Amino acid sequence: MPDPSTSGPAELDPSALLTDGDAELRRCAAEHWWAQGTDLDGQPMPVVLGWEANRDVLGDRRLSPRSFVDDMVASGLSPATADQIAPLFGRHGAEHRHLRAVLSTAFTPRKVEQLRPAARSISERLADDIGAAGGECEFVAAFAAPLPPEVFAILFGLPVEDRDRMAGWAGAIARAFAVQMQHDDVAVVEAAAAEMWSYGLERIAASRAEPGDDLVTRLVEAEVDGEQLSDHEVIAMITGFVFAGAETTRRQLTAAVELLAEHPDAWDRLAADPALLPTAVDEIMRFRPIVAGLTRRAEEPFDRDDLALDDGGRLLLSFTTANRDPARFERPDELDIGRTDAHAHVTFGWGPHVCVGAGLARLELAEALGELTSRFAAPVVIEAGPVGFGAPDWLRVRFRSRT
Protein backbone atom coordinates (compact mmCIF):
# COMPACT_ATOMS: atom_id res chain seq x y z
CA MET A 1 0.00 0.00 0.00
CA PRO A 2 1.22 3.54 -0.67
CA ASP A 3 2.91 5.58 2.03
CA PRO A 4 0.26 7.88 3.61
CA SER A 5 2.93 10.54 4.12
CA THR A 6 3.43 10.86 0.36
CA SER A 7 -0.07 10.26 -0.97
CA GLY A 8 -3.63 11.26 -0.24
CA PRO A 9 -6.96 9.45 -0.47
CA ALA A 10 -8.40 8.84 -3.90
CA GLU A 11 -11.96 9.80 -4.83
CA LEU A 12 -14.12 6.83 -5.74
CA ASP A 13 -15.78 7.32 -9.11
CA PRO A 14 -19.47 6.37 -8.66
CA SER A 15 -19.88 5.48 -12.35
CA ALA A 16 -16.80 3.28 -12.36
CA LEU A 17 -17.94 1.68 -9.10
CA LEU A 18 -21.21 0.63 -10.72
CA THR A 19 -19.52 -0.60 -13.89
CA ASP A 20 -16.67 -2.58 -12.30
CA GLY A 21 -16.58 -2.06 -8.56
CA ASP A 22 -13.58 -4.32 -7.90
CA ALA A 23 -11.44 -2.56 -10.49
CA GLU A 24 -12.36 0.87 -9.15
CA LEU A 25 -11.61 -0.10 -5.55
CA ARG A 26 -8.26 -1.53 -6.58
CA ARG A 27 -7.42 1.60 -8.54
CA CYS A 28 -7.95 3.59 -5.36
CA ALA A 29 -6.05 1.05 -3.26
CA ALA A 30 -3.00 1.56 -5.45
CA GLU A 31 -3.04 5.25 -4.51
CA HIS A 32 -3.75 5.23 -0.75
CA TRP A 33 -4.92 3.06 2.13
CA TRP A 34 -8.37 4.67 2.10
CA ALA A 35 -10.58 6.39 -0.44
CA GLN A 36 -13.39 8.91 -0.17
CA GLY A 37 -16.73 7.46 -1.19
CA THR A 38 -20.37 8.23 -0.46
CA ASP A 39 -23.15 6.31 1.27
CA LEU A 40 -26.62 5.64 -0.14
CA ASP A 41 -27.76 9.07 1.01
CA GLY A 42 -24.92 10.79 -0.79
CA GLN A 43 -23.03 11.55 2.43
CA PRO A 44 -19.23 11.15 2.62
CA MET A 45 -18.17 7.61 3.52
CA PRO A 46 -14.47 6.74 3.84
CA VAL A 47 -13.59 3.30 2.45
CA VAL A 48 -10.66 1.47 4.07
CA LEU A 49 -8.77 -0.50 1.42
CA GLY A 50 -5.46 -2.03 2.53
CA TRP A 51 -5.00 -5.25 4.49
CA GLU A 52 -3.01 -3.69 7.33
CA ALA A 53 -5.45 -0.78 7.58
CA ASN A 54 -8.43 -3.15 7.65
CA ARG A 55 -6.91 -5.13 10.50
CA ASP A 56 -6.06 -1.98 12.43
CA VAL A 57 -9.53 -0.51 12.02
CA LEU A 58 -11.33 -3.77 12.81
CA GLY A 59 -9.31 -4.06 16.00
CA ASP A 60 -9.95 -0.48 17.14
CA ARG A 61 -12.36 -0.39 20.08
CA ARG A 62 -13.38 3.17 19.23
CA LEU A 63 -15.42 1.67 16.39
CA SER A 64 -18.43 -0.64 16.62
CA PRO A 65 -20.69 -2.58 14.20
CA ARG A 66 -23.78 -0.79 15.54
CA SER A 67 -23.96 0.78 12.08
CA PHE A 68 -25.71 -2.42 10.95
CA VAL A 69 -28.51 -1.96 13.46
CA ASP A 70 -28.76 1.74 12.54
CA ASP A 71 -29.25 0.82 8.88
CA MET A 72 -31.86 -1.83 9.63
CA VAL A 73 -33.94 0.56 11.70
CA ALA A 74 -33.55 3.33 9.12
CA SER A 75 -34.91 0.92 6.49
CA GLY A 76 -38.07 0.37 8.54
CA LEU A 77 -37.24 -2.63 10.73
CA SER A 78 -38.41 -2.29 14.31
CA PRO A 79 -35.62 -1.70 16.88
CA ALA A 80 -36.71 -4.85 18.75
CA THR A 81 -36.38 -7.01 15.64
CA ALA A 82 -33.06 -5.45 14.70
CA ASP A 83 -31.75 -6.30 18.18
CA GLN A 84 -33.13 -9.83 17.91
CA ILE A 85 -31.48 -10.69 14.59
CA ALA A 86 -28.16 -8.90 15.18
CA PRO A 87 -27.52 -9.16 18.93
CA LEU A 88 -23.73 -8.95 18.84
CA PHE A 89 -23.68 -6.15 16.27
CA GLY A 90 -25.81 -4.01 18.56
CA ARG A 91 -23.55 -4.49 21.57
CA HIS A 92 -20.09 -3.07 22.17
CA GLY A 93 -17.58 -2.77 24.97
CA ALA A 94 -18.19 -4.61 28.23
CA GLU A 95 -21.72 -5.73 27.33
CA HIS A 96 -20.44 -7.32 24.12
CA ARG A 97 -17.46 -8.95 25.84
CA HIS A 98 -19.66 -10.57 28.49
CA LEU A 99 -22.14 -12.04 26.04
CA ARG A 100 -19.37 -13.15 23.70
CA ALA A 101 -17.66 -14.93 26.61
CA VAL A 102 -20.81 -17.00 27.16
CA LEU A 103 -21.08 -17.89 23.48
CA SER A 104 -17.39 -18.67 23.15
CA THR A 105 -17.72 -21.67 25.47
CA ALA A 106 -19.53 -23.46 22.64
CA PHE A 107 -16.89 -22.59 20.04
CA THR A 108 -13.66 -23.70 21.69
CA PRO A 109 -11.43 -25.79 19.40
CA ARG A 110 -12.37 -28.91 21.38
CA LYS A 111 -16.12 -28.26 21.15
CA VAL A 112 -15.91 -27.50 17.44
CA GLU A 113 -13.85 -30.63 16.76
CA GLN A 114 -16.54 -32.71 18.47
CA LEU A 115 -18.91 -31.66 15.67
CA ARG A 116 -16.65 -32.98 12.91
CA PRO A 117 -18.14 -36.51 12.83
CA ALA A 118 -21.62 -35.02 12.47
CA ALA A 119 -20.55 -32.65 9.69
CA ARG A 120 -18.83 -35.52 7.90
CA SER A 121 -21.81 -37.86 8.24
CA ILE A 122 -24.26 -35.24 6.98
CA SER A 123 -21.96 -34.43 4.04
CA GLU A 124 -21.73 -38.13 3.15
CA ARG A 125 -25.51 -38.52 3.24
CA LEU A 126 -26.12 -35.46 1.08
CA ALA A 127 -23.45 -36.59 -1.43
CA ASP A 128 -25.06 -40.05 -1.50
CA ASP A 129 -28.36 -38.44 -2.46
CA ILE A 130 -26.71 -36.44 -5.26
CA GLY A 131 -25.03 -39.57 -6.60
CA ALA A 132 -28.22 -41.63 -6.40
CA ALA A 133 -30.04 -38.96 -8.43
CA GLY A 134 -27.48 -39.24 -11.24
CA GLY A 135 -25.15 -36.40 -10.27
CA GLU A 136 -27.11 -33.47 -11.66
CA CYS A 137 -28.65 -31.25 -8.99
CA GLU A 138 -29.49 -27.79 -7.80
CA PHE A 139 -26.56 -27.63 -5.41
CA VAL A 140 -27.96 -25.12 -2.92
CA ALA A 141 -31.11 -27.13 -2.23
CA ALA A 142 -29.35 -30.50 -2.40
CA PHE A 143 -26.30 -29.74 -0.26
CA ALA A 144 -25.36 -26.18 0.68
CA ALA A 145 -28.64 -25.24 2.36
CA PRO A 146 -29.30 -28.34 4.50
CA LEU A 147 -25.77 -28.93 5.84
CA PRO A 148 -25.15 -25.87 8.07
CA PRO A 149 -28.51 -25.77 9.94
CA GLU A 150 -28.31 -29.48 10.69
CA VAL A 151 -24.87 -29.05 12.28
CA PHE A 152 -26.12 -25.90 13.99
CA ALA A 153 -29.10 -27.81 15.43
CA ILE A 154 -26.75 -30.31 17.07
CA LEU A 155 -24.65 -27.51 18.56
CA PHE A 156 -27.64 -25.66 20.00
CA GLY A 157 -29.53 -28.77 21.10
CA LEU A 158 -32.39 -28.11 18.69
CA PRO A 159 -34.43 -30.84 16.95
CA VAL A 160 -32.62 -31.85 13.77
CA GLU A 161 -35.98 -32.18 12.03
CA ASP A 162 -36.28 -28.38 12.35
CA ARG A 163 -33.37 -28.01 9.91
CA ASP A 164 -35.41 -26.82 6.97
CA ARG A 165 -37.39 -24.35 9.09
CA MET A 166 -34.16 -22.83 10.33
CA ALA A 167 -32.77 -22.60 6.81
CA GLY A 168 -35.93 -20.78 5.75
CA TRP A 169 -35.70 -18.33 8.64
CA ALA A 170 -32.02 -17.73 7.90
CA GLY A 171 -32.79 -16.94 4.27
CA ALA A 172 -35.51 -14.49 5.31
CA ILE A 173 -33.33 -12.77 7.91
CA ALA A 174 -30.55 -12.38 5.33
CA ARG A 175 -32.67 -9.72 3.64
CA ALA A 176 -32.00 -7.43 6.62
CA PHE A 177 -28.30 -7.44 5.74
CA ALA A 178 -28.87 -6.25 2.17
CA VAL A 179 -27.32 -2.95 1.14
CA GLN A 180 -30.79 -1.44 1.20
CA MET A 181 -33.94 -3.22 2.39
CA GLN A 182 -37.15 -2.75 0.47
CA HIS A 183 -40.61 -2.53 2.05
CA ASP A 184 -41.39 -6.15 1.17
CA ASP A 185 -38.08 -7.26 2.72
CA VAL A 186 -38.98 -5.61 6.02
CA ALA A 187 -42.26 -7.53 6.19
CA VAL A 188 -40.50 -10.84 5.46
CA VAL A 189 -37.84 -10.22 8.12
CA GLU A 190 -40.39 -9.15 10.74
CA ALA A 191 -42.45 -12.29 10.08
CA ALA A 192 -39.43 -14.59 10.35
CA ALA A 193 -38.28 -12.90 13.55
CA ALA A 194 -41.77 -13.33 15.07
CA GLU A 195 -41.77 -17.03 14.22
CA MET A 196 -38.29 -17.40 15.69
CA TRP A 197 -39.43 -15.61 18.83
CA SER A 198 -42.16 -18.19 19.39
CA TYR A 199 -39.78 -21.01 18.53
CA GLY A 200 -37.16 -19.63 20.91
CA LEU A 201 -39.61 -19.55 23.79
CA GLU A 202 -40.43 -23.22 23.11
CA ARG A 203 -36.76 -24.20 23.09
CA ILE A 204 -36.01 -22.24 26.28
CA ALA A 205 -38.87 -24.04 28.05
CA ALA A 206 -37.59 -27.40 26.77
CA SER A 207 -34.04 -26.66 27.98
CA ARG A 208 -35.27 -25.66 31.42
CA ALA A 209 -37.35 -28.83 31.65
CA GLU A 210 -34.53 -31.09 30.41
CA PRO A 211 -31.11 -29.37 30.49
CA GLY A 212 -28.55 -30.78 28.09
CA ASP A 213 -24.94 -30.31 27.01
CA ASP A 214 -25.83 -27.73 24.38
CA LEU A 215 -25.66 -24.00 23.77
CA VAL A 216 -29.31 -23.19 24.52
CA THR A 217 -28.93 -24.75 27.97
CA ARG A 218 -25.71 -22.81 28.54
CA LEU A 219 -27.42 -19.56 27.56
CA VAL A 220 -30.40 -20.28 29.81
CA GLU A 221 -28.13 -21.05 32.76
CA ALA A 222 -25.48 -18.38 32.10
CA GLU A 223 -24.99 -15.32 34.26
CA VAL A 224 -23.59 -11.98 33.14
CA ASP A 225 -22.57 -9.63 35.96
CA GLY A 226 -24.40 -11.89 38.42
CA GLU A 227 -27.68 -11.88 36.48
CA GLN A 228 -29.12 -14.54 34.23
CA LEU A 229 -29.77 -13.66 30.61
CA SER A 230 -33.35 -12.65 29.87
CA ASP A 231 -35.49 -14.74 27.53
CA HIS A 232 -35.17 -11.89 25.03
CA GLU A 233 -31.36 -12.11 25.13
CA VAL A 234 -31.38 -15.91 24.75
CA ILE A 235 -33.80 -15.75 21.81
CA ALA A 236 -31.65 -13.04 20.22
CA MET A 237 -28.61 -15.31 20.45
CA ILE A 238 -30.54 -18.20 18.87
CA THR A 239 -31.94 -15.99 16.11
CA GLY A 240 -28.62 -14.31 15.35
CA PHE A 241 -26.84 -17.61 15.09
CA VAL A 242 -29.52 -19.24 12.97
CA PHE A 243 -28.62 -16.61 10.38
CA ALA A 244 -24.87 -16.59 11.00
CA GLY A 245 -24.65 -20.36 11.36
CA ALA A 246 -26.76 -21.27 8.35
CA GLU A 247 -27.01 -18.60 5.68
CA THR A 248 -23.41 -17.40 5.60
CA THR A 249 -21.93 -20.91 5.48
CA ARG A 250 -24.46 -21.93 2.83
CA ARG A 251 -23.46 -18.95 0.71
CA GLN A 252 -19.72 -19.48 1.15
CA LEU A 253 -20.03 -23.17 0.27
CA THR A 254 -21.99 -22.31 -2.87
CA ALA A 255 -19.37 -19.74 -3.85
CA ALA A 256 -16.64 -22.34 -3.21
CA VAL A 257 -18.19 -24.94 -5.52
CA GLU A 258 -18.78 -22.34 -8.23
CA LEU A 259 -15.16 -21.16 -7.92
CA LEU A 260 -13.69 -24.66 -7.98
CA ALA A 261 -15.80 -25.49 -11.03
CA GLU A 262 -13.85 -22.68 -12.71
CA HIS A 263 -10.59 -24.23 -11.44
CA PRO A 264 -10.92 -28.00 -11.95
CA ASP A 265 -7.19 -28.45 -11.38
CA ALA A 266 -7.65 -27.17 -7.82
CA TRP A 267 -10.60 -29.55 -7.34
CA ASP A 268 -8.48 -32.51 -8.45
CA ARG A 269 -5.57 -31.38 -6.31
CA LEU A 270 -7.84 -31.43 -3.25
CA ALA A 271 -9.06 -34.91 -4.13
CA ALA A 272 -5.47 -36.12 -4.40
CA ASP A 273 -4.30 -34.38 -1.22
CA PRO A 274 -7.07 -33.89 1.40
CA ALA A 275 -4.47 -32.48 3.80
CA LEU A 276 -4.82 -29.25 1.80
CA LEU A 277 -8.47 -28.80 2.82
CA PRO A 278 -7.85 -26.35 5.72
CA THR A 279 -5.66 -24.07 3.61
CA ALA A 280 -7.99 -24.44 0.64
CA VAL A 281 -10.96 -23.23 2.71
CA ASP A 282 -9.09 -20.12 3.79
CA GLU A 283 -7.79 -19.49 0.28
CA ILE A 284 -11.31 -19.69 -1.14
CA MET A 285 -12.50 -17.24 1.51
CA ARG A 286 -9.63 -14.92 0.66
CA PHE A 287 -10.12 -15.18 -3.08
CA ARG A 288 -13.92 -15.13 -3.25
CA PRO A 289 -15.41 -13.93 0.04
CA ILE A 290 -19.19 -13.67 0.26
CA VAL A 291 -18.72 -10.64 2.53
CA ALA A 292 -17.24 -7.84 0.42
CA GLY A 293 -16.96 -5.49 3.39
CA LEU A 294 -18.47 -4.21 6.61
CA THR A 295 -19.35 -0.83 8.05
CA ARG A 296 -18.30 0.59 11.40
CA ARG A 297 -19.59 3.47 13.53
CA ALA A 298 -17.38 5.65 15.70
CA GLU A 299 -18.40 5.44 19.36
CA GLU A 300 -16.00 8.29 20.10
CA PRO A 301 -13.75 10.49 17.94
CA PHE A 302 -11.54 8.26 15.78
CA ASP A 303 -8.38 8.95 13.82
CA ARG A 304 -5.75 6.97 11.93
CA ASP A 305 -3.08 8.76 9.96
CA ASP A 306 -4.94 11.22 7.71
CA LEU A 307 -8.44 9.82 8.35
CA ALA A 308 -10.62 11.24 11.13
CA LEU A 309 -14.22 10.58 12.18
CA ASP A 310 -16.38 12.44 14.68
CA ASP A 311 -18.41 10.55 17.26
CA GLY A 312 -21.16 8.81 15.25
CA GLY A 313 -19.22 8.98 11.98
CA ARG A 314 -19.10 5.93 9.74
CA LEU A 315 -16.70 4.14 7.44
CA LEU A 316 -16.69 1.09 5.18
CA LEU A 317 -14.05 -1.64 5.24
CA SER A 318 -13.30 -3.26 1.87
CA PHE A 319 -12.46 -6.93 2.39
CA THR A 320 -12.21 -7.38 -1.37
CA THR A 321 -9.13 -5.17 -1.64
CA ALA A 322 -7.68 -6.20 1.73
CA ASN A 323 -7.73 -9.87 0.73
CA ARG A 324 -6.01 -9.04 -2.59
CA ASP A 325 -3.46 -6.61 -1.13
CA PRO A 326 -0.12 -7.37 -2.86
CA ALA A 327 1.72 -5.95 0.15
CA ARG A 328 0.36 -8.90 2.19
CA PHE A 329 -0.26 -11.72 -0.27
CA GLU A 330 2.08 -12.83 -3.05
CA ARG A 331 0.34 -13.29 -6.40
CA PRO A 332 -2.92 -12.08 -4.84
CA ASP A 333 -4.98 -12.60 -8.00
CA GLU A 334 -4.04 -16.28 -8.25
CA LEU A 335 -6.08 -19.01 -6.56
CA ASP A 336 -3.56 -21.20 -4.73
CA ILE A 337 -5.16 -23.77 -2.43
CA GLY A 338 -1.73 -24.50 -0.97
CA ARG A 339 -1.19 -20.88 0.10
CA THR A 340 0.18 -21.14 3.65
CA ASP A 341 -0.79 -17.63 4.73
CA ALA A 342 -4.34 -17.63 3.36
CA HIS A 343 -5.67 -17.71 6.94
CA ALA A 344 -4.66 -14.05 7.23
CA HIS A 345 -7.71 -13.00 5.19
CA VAL A 346 -10.16 -10.64 6.89
CA THR A 347 -13.38 -12.29 5.68
CA PHE A 348 -14.23 -13.33 9.25
CA GLY A 349 -13.40 -9.84 10.49
CA TRP A 350 -10.75 -9.17 13.12
CA GLY A 351 -10.44 -7.82 16.63
CA PRO A 352 -13.17 -7.75 19.30
CA HIS A 353 -15.98 -8.48 16.83
CA VAL A 354 -14.27 -11.26 14.84
CA CYS A 355 -16.75 -14.02 13.91
CA VAL A 356 -17.20 -16.21 16.98
CA GLY A 357 -18.18 -19.19 14.84
CA ALA A 358 -15.25 -19.00 12.40
CA GLY A 359 -13.82 -22.34 13.54
CA LEU A 360 -17.11 -24.13 12.96
CA ALA A 361 -17.58 -22.54 9.54
CA ARG A 362 -14.09 -23.65 8.51
CA LEU A 363 -14.80 -27.19 9.70
CA GLU A 364 -18.11 -27.46 7.82
CA LEU A 365 -16.59 -26.12 4.61
CA ALA A 366 -13.63 -28.51 4.87
CA GLU A 367 -15.81 -31.55 5.50
CA ALA A 368 -18.19 -30.62 2.69
CA LEU A 369 -15.43 -30.03 0.14
CA GLY A 370 -13.55 -33.10 1.31
CA GLU A 371 -16.56 -35.33 0.68
CA LEU A 372 -17.45 -33.74 -2.65
CA THR A 373 -13.93 -33.77 -4.11
CA SER A 374 -13.30 -37.37 -3.05
CA ARG A 375 -16.63 -38.59 -4.45
CA PHE A 376 -16.99 -36.60 -7.67
CA ALA A 377 -14.92 -35.15 -10.47
CA ALA A 378 -14.92 -31.37 -10.80
CA PRO A 379 -18.49 -30.12 -11.25
CA VAL A 380 -19.78 -28.45 -14.37
CA VAL A 381 -22.02 -25.44 -13.77
CA ILE A 382 -25.12 -25.69 -15.93
CA GLU A 383 -26.79 -22.51 -14.77
CA ALA A 384 -26.41 -20.07 -11.89
CA GLY A 385 -29.12 -17.98 -10.29
CA PRO A 386 -28.95 -14.30 -9.40
CA VAL A 387 -26.22 -13.35 -6.95
CA GLY A 388 -27.51 -12.42 -3.53
CA PHE A 389 -25.33 -11.97 -0.46
CA GLY A 390 -22.14 -12.88 -2.28
CA ALA A 391 -23.17 -16.12 -4.02
CA PRO A 392 -25.79 -17.41 -6.44
CA ASP A 393 -29.24 -17.99 -4.92
CA TRP A 394 -29.25 -21.30 -6.76
CA LEU A 395 -26.64 -23.25 -8.69
CA ARG A 396 -27.47 -26.08 -11.07
CA VAL A 397 -24.43 -28.33 -11.49
CA ARG A 398 -23.51 -31.72 -12.89
CA PHE A 399 -21.27 -34.01 -10.83
CA ARG A 400 -19.65 -37.10 -12.35
CA SER A 401 -18.75 -39.96 -10.05
CA ARG A 402 -15.07 -40.86 -9.82
CA THR A 403 -15.88 -44.60 -9.82
Side-chain angles (χ1 to χ4, degrees):
M1 284 292 116
D3 184 346
S5 65
T6 59
S7 65
E11 292 281 342
L12 279 166
D13 182 336
S15 298
L17 201 59
L18 289 173
T19 304
D20 189 343
D22 285 349
E24 175 61 7
L25 287 167
R26 296 176 74 174
R27 177 191 70 80
C28 294
E31 296 184 25
H32 201 57
W33 66 269
W34 70 278
Q36 186 62 65
T38 56
D39 63 17
L40 294 173
D41 295 321
Q43 298 301 309
M45 170 79 87
V47 182
V48 179
L49 301 167
W51 177 86
E52 182 179 2
N54 265 261
R55 293 260 292 218
D56 284 353
V57 171
L58 286 166
D60 198 305
R61 295 184 183 275
R62 293 173 293 178
L63 300 168
S64 86
R66 286 176 175 152
S67 49
F68 282 94
V69 177
D70 294 342
D71 290 342
M72 291 176 188
V73 174
S75 295
L77 209 63
S78 69
T81 296
D83 180 66
Q84 179 187 341
I85 67 176
L88 291 181
F89 286 162
R91 290 166 172 80
H92 192 58
E95 183 184 22
H96 171 260
R97 287 195 298 274
H98 293 158
L99 280 176
R100 186 182 175 91
V102 173
L103 289 168
S104 295
T105 62
F107 293 98
T108 63
R110 184 177 68 84
K111 287 287 186 182
V112 168
E113 189 60 32
Q114 288 173 352
L115 291 167
R116 187 178 297 278
R120 182 169 298 170
S121 176
I122 296 164
S123 296
E124 290 173 352
R125 187 184 74 240
L126 296 173
D128 283 343
D129 292 343
I130 291 173
E136 185 172 320
C137 67
E138 195 287 282
F139 180 73
V140 175
F143 199 111
L147 171 64
E150 193 164 334
V151 176
F152 173 87
I154 296 168
L155 171 68
F156 267 69
L158 306 175
V160 173
E161 58 268 24
D162 291 343
R163 177 196 77 185
D164 293 339
R165 294 172 68 193
M166 287 187 282
W169 288 327
I173 290 168
R175 298 191 185 198
F177 292 85
V179 174
Q180 190 170 27
M181 272 193 293
Q182 303 302 315
H183 179 74
D184 290 348
D185 295 328
V186 172
V188 170
V189 175
E190 291 282 3
E195 290 178 15
M196 282 227 64
W197 183 270
S198 298
Y199 181 77
L201 289 175
E202 293 173 6
R203 301 321 310 165
I204 289 171
S207 290
R208 284 179 175 143
E210 295 185 37
D213 183 20
D214 56 71
L215 188 49
V216 173
T217 299
R218 289 193 193 94
L219 290 169
V220 168
E221 296 177 348
E223 291 188 357
V224 175
D225 294 335
E227 295 185 7
Q228 286 191 310
L229 299 179
S230 67
D231 286 357
H232 174 86
E233 289 172 315
V234 174
I235 292 171
M237 294 299 122
I238 296 172
T239 306
F241 274 87
V242 161
F243 165 72
E247 186 69 9
T248 56
T249 306
R250 163 201 159 180
R251 295 280 178 176
Q252 191 64 66
L253 179 55
T254 303
V257 168
E258 183 182 42
L259 175 63
L260 291 173
E262 300 166 8
H263 296 268
D265 54 334
W267 181 279
D268 290 339
R269 187 180 175 193
L270 273 179
D273 188 1
L276 288 172
L277 283 164
T279 57
V281 166
D282 276 314
E283 174 65 352
I284 289 165
M285 297 190 72
R286 181 197 72 84
F287 192 86
R288 187 167 293 178
I290 61 163
V291 180
L294 295 173
T295 58
R296 284 292 186 265
R297 186 183 86 183
E299 299 299 319
E300 59 184 272
F302 165 84
D303 65 278
R304 182 187 189 272
D305 294 336
D306 57 344
L307 173 61
L309 296 177
D310 293 332
D311 188 358
R314 294 155 58 101
L315 55 74
L316 174 67
L317 297 124
S318 169
F319 293 173
T320 303
T321 49
N323 287 341
R324 300 282 189 103
D325 186 346
R328 179 60 183 82
F329 300 102
E330 292 185 6
R331 300 169 286 105
D333 296 325
E334 178 182 325
L335 178 71
D336 177 6
I337 61 170
R339 189 185 297 271
T340 57
D341 63 348
H343 63 277
H345 66 76
V346 294
T347 306
F348 283 122
W350 185 252
H353 288 275
V354 67
C355 176
V356 71
L360 179 58
R362 284 184 167 107
L363 182 147
E364 290 180 69
L365 291 167
E367 289 302 321
L369 293 175
E371 182 60 29
L372 291 168
T373 54
S374 68
R375 183 82 64 94
F376 304 111
V380 175
V381 173
I382 301 170
E383 190 176 8
V387 174
F389 197 10
D393 290 339
W394 49 267
L395 187 70
R396 181 156 291 284
V397 299
R398 183 181 298 113
F399 287 103
R400 181 174 55 81
S401 176
R402 290 190 180 277
T403 57

